[in-house]
Amino acid sequence: IYVQLIDDAHGKTIVSCSTDDKSFEQKDTQGKCEQAKQVGLLVAEKAKSAGITKVVFDRGGYLYHGRVKALSDGAREGGLQF
């Protein structure tokens, strides 16, 4: 799973994170929803260091359940406001 924080006014990606990043520590016992939550926590941490606290959550057409919900829960838990 991946997530990006994009500045729509300038069309630039400010922060991005995914399960393929080197900074993501994947554990063999984690399911996909737990990995998505960890990505949400990691992107919230990166956003805070970039000075971002409020975002708009665009699901990109995906239903709000499973991994998408886990990602948003992790980001909220990490301190991002939607």
Side-chain angles (χ1 to χ4, degrees):
I1 195 161
Y2 62 91
V3 62
Q4 297 177 357
L5 300 182
I6 299 172
D7 182 359
D8 283 335
H10 297 101
K12 292 186 178 183
T13 301
I14 302 168
V15 175
S16 66
C17 186
S18 77
T19 52
D20 291 334
D21 286 348
K22 292 180 182 178
S23 59
F24 181 76
E25 295 179 20
Q26 187 171 349
K27 299 177 182 127
D28 292 335
T29 58
Q30 285 182 328
K32 291 182 180 182
C33 284
E34 183 60 33
Q35 289 176 5
K37 185 173 182 177
Q38 294 299 324
V39 169
L41 288 167
L42 187 59
V43 79
E45 180 183 315
K46 287 182 177 183
K48 280 184 181 179
S49 67
I52 300 168
T53 57
K54 290 186 178 183
V55 296
V56 175
F57 189 68
D58 182 5
R59 300 174 285 116
Y62 292 97
L63 296 176
Y64 186 78
H65 76 286
R67 287 181 258 175
V68 175
K69 183 179 183 305
L71 178 103
S72 68
D73 289 344
R76 283 190 182 112
E77 190 177 307
L80 284 181
Q81 296 176 3
F82 294 20

